[in-house]
């Protein structure tokens, strides 16, 4: 079955209408996004006005200014014990994620011979997982999945495939558990990046790549490396982790999620691309279209992390209905 979806009609994945409300007494510009989504942060404009992103309605999802630790989101330089452990994580990640390692992991996990279970059973398993690479969250992952899904559901009520994509996007983190090989954190979580070409400087804690065996490989250390202009991300080796694993599980088990949903699952941790604009020279036209939805999704994935609890039993029937619509009852993992 093919699911047709309408592409978001806006730049960088956000439908927005900008209204300038500058006056002599209050030079505040209002930036209203589709669905009322807002990042409450002042952004200076060239005309001297200040753009303040605010909610269009009281019911819309409103992004917090700070994370659960009282700091800015994705601030990898803030001084804290949490940040120190995050940096140590990225040091291990950048040293050990090599082209050969990723190739080996793809071959091993494409067998899908470890566990057979439903999507919801996997969601419950994720209660045992905490992501050491995340500077914004120390809650069990199931909380983050539901926070993200419910935030998107508020603003995009008719895009049920996007609600489900939000629910499943981090399920690949079960790779940390014994039944799935108990891989080290650096092989499961964290931002992802391409292998087989130069490491872009936008990648967080870039300095540690100097200790990666691929760093001095003449075939890999140029802008294109082993790839070509517009080759498509599907042909690019991306560092191994929960993104690629969950994409593999969904695809091989015959999900009917649209391609945009699979793209979100596979590349939601590819921050050098969707935050910094790096590696766009490797994208094809289909990637460009799917990136618009990923950038919509990313706002909710990042800013919905909070201490607000979701009533799991209350929302469970809705998500079970979506799972039944888009996935088989049992999946091979």
């Amino acid at each position: 079955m093919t699911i047709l979806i309408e592409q978001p009609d806006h730049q960088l994945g956000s439908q927005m209408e900008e209204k300038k409300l500058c006056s002599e007494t209050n030079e505040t510009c209002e930036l209203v996004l589709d669905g009322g989504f807002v990042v409450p942060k002042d952004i200076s404009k060239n005309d001297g006005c200040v753009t303040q992103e605010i909610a269009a309605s009281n019911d819309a999802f409103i992004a917090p200014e700070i994370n659960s630790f009282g700091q800015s989101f994705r601030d990898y330089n803030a001084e804290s014990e949490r940040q120190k452990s995050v940096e140590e994580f990225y040091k291990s990640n950048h040293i050990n994620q090599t082209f050969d390692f990723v190739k080996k992991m793809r071959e091993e996990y494409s067998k899908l011979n470890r566990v057979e279970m439903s999507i919801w059973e996997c969601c419950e398993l994720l209660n045992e997982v905490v992501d050491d690479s995340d500077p914004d969250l120390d809650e069990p992952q199931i909380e983050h999945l539901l926070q993200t899904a419910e935030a998107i559901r508020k603003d995009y009520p008719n895009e049920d495939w996007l609600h489900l994509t939000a629910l499943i996007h981090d399920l690949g983190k079960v790779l940390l558990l014994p039944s799935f090989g108990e891989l080290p954190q650096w092989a499961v979580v964290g931002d992802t990046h391409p292998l087989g070409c130069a490491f872009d400087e936008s990648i967080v804690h870039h300095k540690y790549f100097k200790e990666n065996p691929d760093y001095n490989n003449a075939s890999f250390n140029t802008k294109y490396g082993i790839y070509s202009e517009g080759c498509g991300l599907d042909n690019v080796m991306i560092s191994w982790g929960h993104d690629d694993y969950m994409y593999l599980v969904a695809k091989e088990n015959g999900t009917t999620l649209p391609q945009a949903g699979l793209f979100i699952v596979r590349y939601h941790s590819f921050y050098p691309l969707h935050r910094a604009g790096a590696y766009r020279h490797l994208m094809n036209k289909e990637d460009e279209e799917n990136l618009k939805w990923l950038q919509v999704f990313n706002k909710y994935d990042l800013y919905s992390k909070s201490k607000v609890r979701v009533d799991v039993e209350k929302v469970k029937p809705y998500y079970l209905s979506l799972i039944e619509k888009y996935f088989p009852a049992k999946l091979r993992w």
Side-chain angles (χ1 to χ4, degrees), residues 33 39 49 51 78 82 84 99 137 161-162 177 191 227-228 251 268:
L33 284 74
V39 181
C49 265
T51 293
R82 178 71 173 173
K84 291 176 183 177
F99 188 93
L137 188 71
W161 65 271
L162 192 56
L177 303 177
D191 293 3
Y227 308 113
S228 60
K251 181 182 178 183
H268 68 271

Side-chain angles (χ1 to χ4, degrees), residues 76-240:
Y76 291 94
N77 297 313
E79 290 294 329
S80 70
E81 288 303 313
R82 178 71 173 173
Q83 296 293 351
K84 291 176 183 177
S85 68
V86 169
E87 181 167 353
E88 282 301 310
F89 160 84
Y90 274 108
K91 180 178 180 180
S92 297
N93 176 280
H94 293 348
I95 293 173
N96 292 293
Q97 287 272 3
T98 64
F99 188 93
D100 288 342
F101 170 77
V102 175
K103 184 178 179 181
K104 178 183 176 182
M105 289 295 99
R106 284 189 175 184
E107 291 173 353
E108 173 63 25
Y109 281 92
S110 65
K111 298 173 185 176
L112 299 178
N113 60 357
R114 296 180 179 273
V115 177
E116 185 173 298
M117 63 179 172
S118 70
I119 289 289
W120 192 262
E121 287 172 326
C122 189
C123 289
E124 292 177 333
L125 266 185
L126 226 60
N127 271 325
E128 303 174 30
V129 172
V130 172
D131 183 346
D132 285 348
S133 74
D134 194 337
D136 301 319
L137 188 71
D138 65 350
E139 298 291 335
Q141 292 297 305
I142 185 66
E143 296 288 333
H144 168 54
L145 297 183
L146 288 170
Q147 287 168 354
T148 306
E150 285 295 285
I152 291 177
R153 186 181 172 190
K154 273 187 175 182
D155 291 357
Y156 292 86
N158 298 322
E159 307 291 348
D160 68 353
W161 65 271
L162 192 56
H163 311 163
L164 183 58
T165 298
L167 181 73
I168 71 168
H169 77 282
D170 274 349
L171 292 188
K173 291 179 180 180
V174 292
L175 287 172
L176 294 166
L177 303 177
S179 298
F180 296 84
E182 203 168 8
L183 295 181
Q185 290 260 345
W186 61 260
V188 179
V189 298
D191 293 3
T192 58
H193 56 269
L195 284 308
C197 59
F199 300 115
D200 190 84
E201 291 189 0
S202 65
I203 302 172
V204 64
H205 295 304
H206 177 274
K207 61 187 177 183
Y208 294 117
F209 282 120
K210 293 180 180 180
E211 300 178 56
N212 186 301
D214 290 352
Y215 186 80
N216 294 313
N217 186 324
S219 298
F220 294 164
N221 61 16
T222 63
K223 177 179 178 179
Y224 289 94
I226 62 174
Y227 308 113
S228 60
E229 180 87 26
C231 64
L233 294 182
D234 192 49
N235 296 306
V236 176
M237 192 77 81
I238 303 292
S239 54
W240 177 253

Side-chain angles (χ1 to χ4, degrees), residues 16-31:
M16 61 176 66
E17 174 188 357
E18 189 175 43
K19 300 177 182 178
K20 288 191 175 181
L21 302 176
C22 300
S23 66
E24 294 182 357
T25 56
N26 185 4
E27 288 197 338
T28 299
C29 297
E30 182 179 281
L31 188 65

